[in-house]
Amino acid sequence: MRDGKATALISGEACAIEAVAAVLDVLCPQQIRVGGIGDAPEPSLRSILILQTNRAALAEGIAFAESLGLDMGNFLATARQSAAYSRVMDIKGEKMLARDFTPQSRISQTLKDAELILGEARRLGQTLPMMTVQGALLRATIALVGGECDSAAVIETIRPSRKRSRDGK
């Protein structure tokens, strides 16, 4: 929101939304109307599921590229031009490379969202294997670096241990 790039999922009666439109326009220039009162959480959880999976995939790709000894600036620039592109690369890529985990989104909140998604999936009898792995990754990262850092810190759990040599011993 600070950068003026927030997207709001807005639900409620049309007249109520119109009454606060000027404030919403200032707070969230990008708005998606998702229906009546109480309808916003479902689209939000679906978007969060995809976002978290993209973030984890980016972290894994960066960690693998680092292990291969690739030029990381070139790797990220190339990834941004590929079919694998996601805005997560723009938002979290440089943070991961620089190990800058100053919070934009706290990892403890990211875990809370993952647990909400997994709980809803259990209620529906839906299997979410990637989100299940994501939950474990988030818990492991919080155990490693704490819950107040940025969610980009998931890369620290994926990066090879500094104690191991290149042959894995």
Side-chain angles (χ1 to χ4, degrees):
M1 287 182 72
R2 251 181 262 140
D3 296 337
K5 297 177 183 175
T7 298
L9 300 178
I10 301 169
S11 63
E13 296 178 24
C15 61
I17 294 170
E18 292 308 317
V20 296
V23 174
L24 290 173
D25 290 345
V26 170
L27 294 175
C28 299
Q30 300 175 55
Q31 302 170 24
I32 302 169
R33 300 220 177 157
V34 294
I37 295 172
D39 290 341
E42 289 180 19
S44 177
L45 291 179
R46 291 189 301 258
S47 295
I48 290 168
L49 184 150
I50 296 167
L51 172 65
Q52 287 191 16
T53 303
N54 285 345
R55 186 183 306 123
L58 175 62
E60 191 167 341
I62 288 173
F64 186 55
E66 287 173 342
S67 294
L68 293 170
L70 300 179
D71 175 279
M72 295 314 301
N74 189 38
F75 170 79
L76 188 57
T78 302
R80 284 178 170 144
Q81 298 302 312
S82 76
Y85 174 76
S86 164
R87 283 187 48 208
V88 169
M89 292 177 185
D90 300 333
I91 299 165
K92 301 296 182 184
E94 295 296 335
K95 288 181 79 62
M96 289 179 184
L97 293 183
R99 286 186 154 101
D100 171 12
F101 305 128
T102 306
Q104 290 173 320
S105 57
R106 284 183 170 64
I107 197 167
S108 58
Q109 179 64 42
T110 304
L111 176 59
K112 182 185 89 55
D113 292 341
E115 289 172 344
L116 283 171
I117 291 166
L118 290 167
E120 185 65 8
R122 276 190 299 277
R123 186 184 73 75
L124 297 169
Q126 172 70 51
T127 302
L128 297 176
M130 293 174 71
M131 185 52 65
T132 300
V133 170
Q134 174 71 2
L137 175 62
L138 291 165
R139 285 187 287 280
T141 303
I142 289 169
L144 183 66
V145 299
E148 295 303 309
C149 63
D150 190 82
S151 58
V154 295
I155 193 168
E156 294 303 302
T157 303
I158 300 169
R159 280 183 165 124
S161 170
R162 299 273 184 234
K163 296 176 185 173
R164 286 183 263 163
S165 67
R166 284 187 77 61
D167 63 3
K169 296 180 182 173

